[in-house]
Amino acid sequence: MVRTGLDVRAFEAVPAWVARRLRPHVDRAADGLLAELRRADPQIGEEEAGRARAGIAAGIRHFCDLVEDPDAGWERVAAFYLRVGRHLARDGRDPVETHQALRRSALVAWRTLGAVPGGLDLDRAALSLVVDAQFCYMDAVAKVIAAGYSAEVAERRDRREEPTRRRRGAKLLHLLLAEPPAAPARVAALAADARWPLPVTVAVATARRRRSGPAPAPPALPDGLLADLAAAEPCLIVPDPDGRGRGLLPAAPLRDWTVALGPAVPVARAADSLRWARETLALATRGVIPDGGLIRSAEHVPVLVVSRAGELIDDAAAVRLAPLLAVPPPRRERLAETLLALLEHNFNAADASRRLRVHPQTVRYRLRALRDLFGDELRDPRRCREMELILHARMVNGDRGQAPAR
């Protein structure tokens, strides 16, 4: 909504009875002026004549509305003339046409005031108030029409340029994610072409469709996001994610896509944010971290760090989890799950049972078996921390329940 104000004080000063006396004569006044226009220009068409009469009548009625109720009246009048401005732009007509109609309305209003039976008995002071209100009205309405006209022109231009802008945005996205990083001057030039102000930091999101079948229609994304959802690896770039970009990523894509957002990094390191987003998405796909809504890698740092320590974890597991080799595989998996739950809950059997969704007595039974296997290792805080890390890592890497490497 384009906002353009009116100084209502001029209308508040006009006696309300002026509008009451003027209103019944609006149609007669509009018909009279239309007849004058046709005498002056016999070639005037029906469509143009109809527009002229409607504009004259509307102008007088709106003036009366404002005299009777300045505040509420202006909201209706402004909305009307905002639409007029937009329609002028859509039809390729000049706003001057409506300005001329406003001047005619003012002239007709004065003629009508003078022709009202018995007159309006306006003294010089009251006459001055009406004149002031008329000028305020015409000035404010002209501004609203111009605002509506400009808004429509700008929106039509943006719609025409949108495909080109999106193509440039997608090109800029891939340039920012290139490795090694592209030259700053090249990035700045393409950002200017895409009308994308270069931010201080960015966060990169990567996405995966939740369902197979026909691709969903690309969601409407807010201005400011760079996106290429049609690429083999759909990506988005959020500018200044901790500042002006906060909340830019809408909920709409999350219904059809799993979206993982990497950490905020300087623009030149956008590829680093993408790497973390990819790893986060991979873990969500495997069910290691919850796949719901927008997944932020910054909220899963321990799991991401552990996921990168593959060989080191395997070597450590061969030593720290060696006692589990003496147990048959199905029972080994249950004991490994129980050991992790106990380590996470400081060996509280009740809490671990809720985590595992089994009876506390079952956890206590397994704990006795684990103590038989590991002995004093379970009393050593440092060893317990190592085992917890290793078990977490093997879960992250999809090796939960397998025997440690010999």
Short mmCIF file of all heavy atoms in Angstrom, two decimals, residues 68-90:
data_model
loop_
_atom_site.label_atom_id
_atom_site.label_comp_id
_atom_site.label_asym_id
_atom_site.label_seq_id
_atom_site.Cartn_x
_atom_site.Cartn_y
_atom_site.Cartn_z
N GLU A 68 -17.25 15.60 5.52
CA GLU A 68 -18.08 14.95 6.53
C GLU A 68 -17.26 14.11 7.51
O GLU A 68 -17.58 14.04 8.70
CB GLU A 68 -19.13 14.07 5.85
CG GLU A 68 -20.17 14.88 5.10
CD GLU A 68 -21.14 14.02 4.33
OE1 GLU A 68 -20.82 12.84 4.08
OE2 GLU A 68 -22.22 14.51 3.98
N ASP A 69 -16.19 13.45 7.03
CA ASP A 69 -15.39 12.57 7.90
C ASP A 69 -13.96 12.56 7.38
O ASP A 69 -13.55 11.66 6.64
CB ASP A 69 -15.98 11.15 7.90
CG ASP A 69 -15.31 10.25 8.94
OD1 ASP A 69 -14.34 10.70 9.58
OD2 ASP A 69 -15.76 9.11 9.10
N PRO A 70 -13.16 13.56 7.74
CA PRO A 70 -11.82 13.72 7.14
C PRO A 70 -10.92 12.50 7.28
O PRO A 70 -10.28 12.08 6.31
CB PRO A 70 -11.25 14.94 7.88
CG PRO A 70 -12.45 15.70 8.32
CD PRO A 70 -13.49 14.68 8.65
N ASP A 71 -10.85 11.89 8.47
CA ASP A 71 -9.90 10.79 8.67
C ASP A 71 -10.32 9.54 7.90
O ASP A 71 -9.56 9.01 7.08
CB ASP A 71 -9.78 10.47 10.16
CG ASP A 71 -9.05 11.58 10.91
OD1 ASP A 71 -8.00 12.01 10.42
OD2 ASP A 71 -9.56 12.03 11.95
N ALA A 72 -11.50 9.02 8.16
CA ALA A 72 -11.97 7.81 7.49
C ALA A 72 -12.17 8.06 6.00
O ALA A 72 -11.91 7.20 5.16
CB ALA A 72 -13.26 7.31 8.13
N GLY A 73 -12.64 9.25 5.65
CA GLY A 73 -12.88 9.57 4.25
C GLY A 73 -11.62 9.50 3.42
O GLY A 73 -11.64 9.00 2.29
N TRP A 74 -10.50 9.96 3.97
CA TRP A 74 -9.26 9.97 3.20
C TRP A 74 -8.77 8.56 2.88
O TRP A 74 -8.22 8.31 1.81
CB TRP A 74 -8.18 10.75 3.93
CG TRP A 74 -6.85 10.68 3.23
CD1 TRP A 74 -5.69 10.17 3.69
CD2 TRP A 74 -6.57 11.14 1.89
NE1 TRP A 74 -4.70 10.27 2.75
CE2 TRP A 74 -5.23 10.87 1.63
CE3 TRP A 74 -7.35 11.74 0.91
CZ2 TRP A 74 -4.62 11.18 0.42
CZ3 TRP A 74 -6.74 12.05 -0.31
CH2 TRP A 74 -5.40 11.77 -0.54
N GLU A 75 -8.96 7.61 3.78
CA GLU A 75 -8.54 6.23 3.50
C GLU A 75 -9.24 5.70 2.26
O GLU A 75 -8.63 5.06 1.40
CB GLU A 75 -8.84 5.33 4.70
CG GLU A 75 -7.98 5.61 5.92
CD GLU A 75 -8.27 4.64 7.05
OE1 GLU A 75 -9.01 3.66 6.82
OE2 GLU A 75 -7.77 4.87 8.17
N ARG A 76 -10.54 5.96 2.16
CA ARG A 76 -11.29 5.49 0.98
C ARG A 76 -10.86 6.24 -0.28
O ARG A 76 -10.68 5.65 -1.34
CB ARG A 76 -12.79 5.69 1.21
CG ARG A 76 -13.37 4.82 2.33
CD ARG A 76 -14.90 4.87 2.33
NE ARG A 76 -15.41 6.21 2.57
CZ ARG A 76 -15.66 6.71 3.77
NH1 ARG A 76 -15.44 5.97 4.85
NH2 ARG A 76 -16.15 7.94 3.91
N VAL A 77 -10.70 7.55 -0.15
CA VAL A 77 -10.32 8.35 -1.32
C VAL A 77 -8.93 7.96 -1.82
O VAL A 77 -8.71 7.79 -3.03
CB VAL A 77 -10.36 9.86 -0.96
CG1 VAL A 77 -9.77 10.70 -2.09
CG2 VAL A 77 -11.79 10.29 -0.66
N ALA A 78 -7.98 7.81 -0.90
CA ALA A 78 -6.61 7.46 -1.29
C ALA A 78 -6.59 6.10 -1.98
O ALA A 78 -5.90 5.92 -3.00
CB ALA A 78 -5.70 7.45 -0.07
N ALA A 79 -7.34 5.11 -1.45
CA ALA A 79 -7.38 3.79 -2.08
C ALA A 79 -7.95 3.87 -3.49
O ALA A 79 -7.45 3.21 -4.42
CB ALA A 79 -8.21 2.83 -1.22
N PHE A 80 -8.99 4.70 -3.67
CA PHE A 80 -9.61 4.86 -4.99
C PHE A 80 -8.60 5.43 -5.99
O PHE A 80 -8.41 4.89 -7.09
CB PHE A 80 -10.82 5.79 -4.88
CG PHE A 80 -11.46 6.12 -6.19
CD1 PHE A 80 -12.40 5.27 -6.75
CD2 PHE A 80 -11.12 7.28 -6.88
CE1 PHE A 80 -12.99 5.58 -7.98
CE2 PHE A 80 -11.70 7.60 -8.09
CZ PHE A 80 -12.64 6.74 -8.65
N TYR A 81 -7.92 6.52 -5.61
CA TYR A 81 -7.02 7.17 -6.56
C TYR A 81 -5.71 6.42 -6.74
O TYR A 81 -5.03 6.58 -7.76
CB TYR A 81 -6.79 8.63 -6.17
CG TYR A 81 -7.97 9.49 -6.52
CD1 TYR A 81 -8.82 10.00 -5.55
CD2 TYR A 81 -8.27 9.76 -7.85
CE1 TYR A 81 -9.93 10.77 -5.88
CE2 TYR A 81 -9.37 10.53 -8.20
CZ TYR A 81 -10.20 11.02 -7.21
OH TYR A 81 -11.29 11.76 -7.55
N LEU A 82 -5.36 5.59 -5.78
CA LEU A 82 -4.21 4.71 -5.98
C LEU A 82 -4.52 3.73 -7.10
O LEU A 82 -3.68 3.47 -7.98
CB LEU A 82 -3.89 3.96 -4.68
CG LEU A 82 -2.62 3.10 -4.69
CD1 LEU A 82 -1.39 3.98 -4.83
CD2 LEU A 82 -2.55 2.27 -3.43
N ARG A 83 -5.75 3.18 -7.09
CA ARG A 83 -6.15 2.28 -8.18
C ARG A 83 -6.22 3.02 -9.51
O ARG A 83 -5.85 2.48 -10.56
CB ARG A 83 -7.51 1.64 -7.86
CG ARG A 83 -7.47 0.67 -6.69
CD ARG A 83 -8.76 -0.15 -6.62
NE ARG A 83 -9.92 0.69 -6.36
CZ ARG A 83 -10.37 1.00 -5.15
NH1 ARG A 83 -9.72 0.56 -4.08
NH2 ARG A 83 -11.45 1.75 -5.00
N VAL A 84 -6.69 4.27 -9.46
CA VAL A 84 -6.74 5.07 -10.69
C VAL A 84 -5.34 5.20 -11.28
O VAL A 84 -5.15 5.02 -12.49
CB VAL A 84 -7.34 6.47 -10.39
CG1 VAL A 84 -7.10 7.41 -11.58
CG2 VAL A 84 -8.83 6.36 -10.10
N GLY A 85 -4.35 5.53 -10.44
CA GLY A 85 -2.98 5.66 -10.93
C GLY A 85 -2.47 4.37 -11.55
O GLY A 85 -1.81 4.39 -12.60
N ARG A 86 -2.79 3.24 -10.92
CA ARG A 86 -2.33 1.95 -11.46
C ARG A 86 -3.01 1.65 -12.80
O ARG A 86 -2.37 1.17 -13.75
CB ARG A 86 -2.62 0.83 -10.46
CG ARG A 86 -1.67 0.82 -9.26
CD ARG A 86 -1.93 -0.37 -8.35
NE ARG A 86 -0.95 -0.48 -7.30
CZ ARG A 86 0.23 -1.10 -7.42
NH1 ARG A 86 0.56 -1.66 -8.59
NH2 ARG A 86 1.07 -1.17 -6.41
N HIS A 87 -4.30 1.93 -12.88
CA HIS A 87 -5.01 1.69 -14.15
C HIS A 87 -4.50 2.58 -15.26
O HIS A 87 -4.41 2.15 -16.43
CB HIS A 87 -6.51 1.90 -13.95
CG HIS A 87 -7.20 0.75 -13.27
ND1 HIS A 87 -7.26 -0.52 -13.83
CD2 HIS A 87 -7.85 0.66 -12.08
CE1 HIS A 87 -7.91 -1.33 -13.03
NE2 HIS A 87 -8.28 -0.64 -11.95
N LEU A 88 -4.14 3.82 -14.94
CA LEU A 88 -3.56 4.69 -15.96
C LEU A 88 -2.29 4.08 -16.53
O LEU A 88 -2.07 4.10 -17.76
CB LEU A 88 -3.25 6.07 -15.36
CG LEU A 88 -4.45 6.97 -15.05
CD1 LEU A 88 -3.99 8.19 -14.26
CD2 LEU A 88 -5.18 7.37 -16.31
N ALA A 89 -1.45 3.54 -15.65
CA ALA A 89 -0.20 2.93 -16.11
C ALA A 89 -0.48 1.69 -16.95
O ALA A 89 0.16 1.46 -17.99
CB ALA A 89 0.68 2.57 -14.91
N ARG A 90 -1.45 0.86 -16.52
CA ARG A 90 -1.76 -0.36 -17.27
C ARG A 90 -2.31 -0.04 -18.66
O ARG A 90 -2.04 -0.77 -19.63
CB ARG A 90 -2.77 -1.21 -16.50
CG ARG A 90 -2.21 -1.82 -15.23
CD ARG A 90 -3.31 -2.45 -14.39
NE ARG A 90 -2.81 -2.74 -13.04
CZ ARG A 90 -3.60 -2.94 -12.00
NH1 ARG A 90 -4.90 -2.91 -12.14
NH2 ARG A 90 -3.06 -3.20 -10.81
#
